[in-house]
Amino acid sequence: MDGRWRGYVWVTTPGGRRTRKYVRGDTRADVVTQLTKISAASAIAPVAVGSPTVEQYFRGWLEDVVRPTLAPTTVLNYDLFIRLYIVPSLGRKHLDRLSLRDVQTWVNKLRITCQCCAQGKDERREKKRCCSAGKCCQQFPKDWTVRQAWAVLRAGLAQAVREEMITRNVAGMVRMPVPRSEKQTVWSVDDVRTFLEASLSSRDSFHAAYVLMLVLGLRRGELLGLAWEDVDLERGEARIRWQIQRISGQLTRRRTKTASSEAVLPLPDICIDALKAHRAMTNRWKLKAGEAWHDTDLVFTTKFGLPIDPRNFNRSFKKRTESSGVPVIPVHSTRRTCASLLVELGVHPRVAMAIMRHSQISVTMNIYSQVASSSAREALANLGSRLAEGGHS
């Protein structure tokens, strides 16, 4: 016994059979409250007796709650964590029998389980390299991966509580420390200038894309989803509201993830000049392609007017970075580079938040706390000078 209260009430199942419906609770009052609700519900309609397994419930939750309400990429992430991390260890347990100890044991075990072994990665290879060859590669999940898997479990159980299928969210009772974020490498002003000069001198077809990404802090999907109808070169404005993503193997153009991501951004002269040159180049491509041209109205396309695959853009960016002689950073770090440069210029956090279109000021302040601004350097330099003067007096 787990020390909890237990009780039952007679109900009629959807199949017309009279049987007992058992419930558990931390206190006698909890059990009485649950039994009263079930008894009232049974007087109106048949009541299902059996509790689904964790796998059954989470599959239903994914399809009925997550998929209709969240972004496709988020749905794919939820599916991945359910399929690879939650179901293998907890899937067979009945939802109402899942305990705090079960979740804590699962979290502890997940941290020290090689995912190459658990997911059979090496086993699926034609030529075995590690785990299936008797040499475990010890591919343990990162702290953030463990936390995200726990967060998905907690979210699903929270819905089960709302649906009154369970009385408490045992995942929410597990203490999960927030992992420390690794400091990302960002470019300096000189690095950005060197990179853009290299892409311009080599006539890189993505030069304008690099300019917008670094000056405006656009996300990769927003950059590739930008259409000419949303660009006004005369007024010097660009409306950000669409993004290109690869979802289930298909390129999809959809609205930005949140309302805060949509904005009208002013275009500095460097952006306007780059876009004008890019439009001229696109027109040349269109004439050369003739009937093979696809009129998508996207700003950045292939030489036949088709959308750019985000993965191909990543490859082009990495290749250009390596040839430019600047530190190699991933595409998503260019957005942080833009924010860091705003810090260096002494831009107020609220202004930077509007430019970067952060949904919360805490995201902006996190960047400001990690980058030493010119004003902070000056303040500390002054403090150091005053202390030095005091020490020599």
Side-chain angles (χ1 to χ4, degrees):
M1 297 295 290
D2 57 6
R4 302 177 68 201
W5 288 79
R6 188 168 181 260
Y8 72 86
V9 63
W10 286 92
V11 298
T12 301
T13 67
R17 182 170 61 91
R18 291 283 291 174
T19 186
R20 293 169 179 167
K21 171 73 173 180
Y22 287 90
V23 297
R24 288 179 174 79
D26 292 329
T27 65
R28 184 176 186 277
D30 289 340
V31 173
V32 171
T33 300
Q34 292 181 67
L35 293 177
T36 301
K37 290 182 178 179
I38 294 171
S39 181
S42 180
I44 300 173
V47 175
V49 175
S51 174
T53 63
V54 170
E55 179 177 10
Q56 291 170 340
Y57 178 78
F58 271 76
R59 290 299 179 195
W61 171 65
L62 185 70
E63 295 300 322
D64 300 335
V65 179
V66 176
R67 194 175 300 279
T69 57
L70 298 181
T73 50
T74 305
V75 175
L76 290 177
N77 284 333
Y78 273 48
D79 176 67
L80 181 145
F81 283 108
I82 291 171
R83 177 166 42 85
L84 299 182
Y85 298 101
I86 296 175
V87 167
S89 297
L90 303 174
R92 293 184 179 181
K93 289 188 173 291
H94 284 276
L95 195 65
D96 62 347
R97 299 289 181 91
L98 189 66
S99 68
L100 172 61
R101 178 60 61 87
D102 291 331
V103 177
Q104 185 67 70
T105 300
W106 167 69
V107 169
N108 295 342
K109 185 178 179 181
L110 184 58
R111 288 194 176 105
I112 58 173
T113 300
C114 172
Q115 293 307 302
C116 181
C117 295
Q119 300 175 24
K121 295 179 181 179
D122 192 48
E123 186 178 351
R124 293 193 295 271
R125 297 186 181 114
E126 292 185 7
K127 186 177 181 180
K128 314 306 178 187
R129 296 189 307 206
C130 48
C131 298
S132 293
K135 300 177 182 178
C136 181
C137 61
Q138 298 187 343
Q139 192 181 98
F140 304 128
K142 294 182 178 180
D143 290 341
W144 276 110
T145 301
V146 175
R147 181 176 175 81
Q148 287 172 324
W150 164 79
V152 172
L153 178 66
R154 181 185 60 177
L157 295 182
Q159 180 64 29
V161 171
R162 286 190 288 269
E163 295 174 1
E164 297 185 347
M165 299 187 69
I166 54 177
T167 58
R168 60 178 183 169
N169 186 340
V170 290
M173 301 169 69
V174 173
R175 296 183 64 181
M176 283 292 293
V178 179
R180 290 188 178 184
S181 299
E182 296 180 2
K183 189 173 182 179
Q184 300 178 11
T185 300
V186 295
W187 285 342
S188 65
V189 173
D190 289 337
D191 290 331
V192 173
R193 185 183 297 111
T194 299
F195 176 79
L196 293 180
E197 287 176 351
S199 66
L200 177 62
S201 61
S202 61
R203 298 183 180 180
D204 193 318
S205 60
F206 283 129
H207 173 70
Y210 300 150
V211 171
L212 295 186
M213 193 165 58
L214 287 162
V215 176
L216 301 182
L218 296 188
R219 300 175 178 90
R220 179 189 62 183
E222 296 168 345
L223 184 72
L224 301 181
L226 184 65
W228 285 113
E229 68 173 351
D230 291 323
V231 176
D232 189 335
L233 296 179
E234 295 299 322
R235 299 183 61 180
E237 293 179 345
R239 186 179 182 185
I240 311 303
R241 54 176 179 158
W242 295 95
Q243 60 180 331
I244 291 284
Q245 292 181 326
R246 176 169 285 280
I247 301 172
S248 300
Q250 299 292 325
L251 288 182
T252 304
R253 187 170 185 252
R254 56 186 299 273
R255 296 299 287 265
T256 53
K257 187 175 182 180
T258 61
S260 61
S261 296
E262 297 189 8
V264 177
L265 297 179
L267 295 173
D269 290 341
I270 186 176
C271 295
I272 295 175
D273 293 340
L275 284 170
K276 287 180 177 179
H278 183 77
R279 172 174 274 178
M281 180 180 64
T282 302
N283 289 336
R284 291 195 296 271
W285 287 351
K286 186 174 182 179
L287 289 174
K288 187 176 181 179
E291 294 182 357
W293 180 262
H294 295 75
D295 193 10
T296 59
D297 195 45
L298 292 175
V299 174
F300 301 105
T301 68
T302 66
K303 292 184 178 181
F304 294 95
L306 294 171
I308 299 293
D309 190 311
R311 295 178 299 186
N312 290 339
F313 182 79
N314 284 356
R315 296 186 188 101
S316 298
F317 177 78
K318 183 179 180 181
K319 184 177 180 181
R320 174 56 54 199
T321 301
E322 292 172 342
S323 65
S324 300
V326 296
V328 176
I329 63 174
V331 170
H332 64 79
S333 287
T334 59
R335 181 168 165 79
R336 196 172 189 89
T337 291
C338 176
S340 300
L341 295 180
L342 293 176
V343 177
E344 291 286 348
L345 293 173
V347 176
H348 191 279
R350 282 289 177 184
V351 178
M353 178 185 177
I355 295 173
M356 302 304 297
R357 293 161 294 119
H358 289 149
S359 59
Q360 298 177 339
I361 187 64
S362 59
V363 178
T364 311
M365 293 309 299
N366 182 49
I367 297 173
Y368 268 63
S369 66
Q370 295 183 20
V371 180
S373 66
S374 56
S375 58
R377 287 195 182 96
E378 183 180 352
L380 290 175
N382 291 336
L383 175 61
S385 298
R386 293 295 297 274
L387 291 175
E389 291 173 3
H392 291 294
S393 59

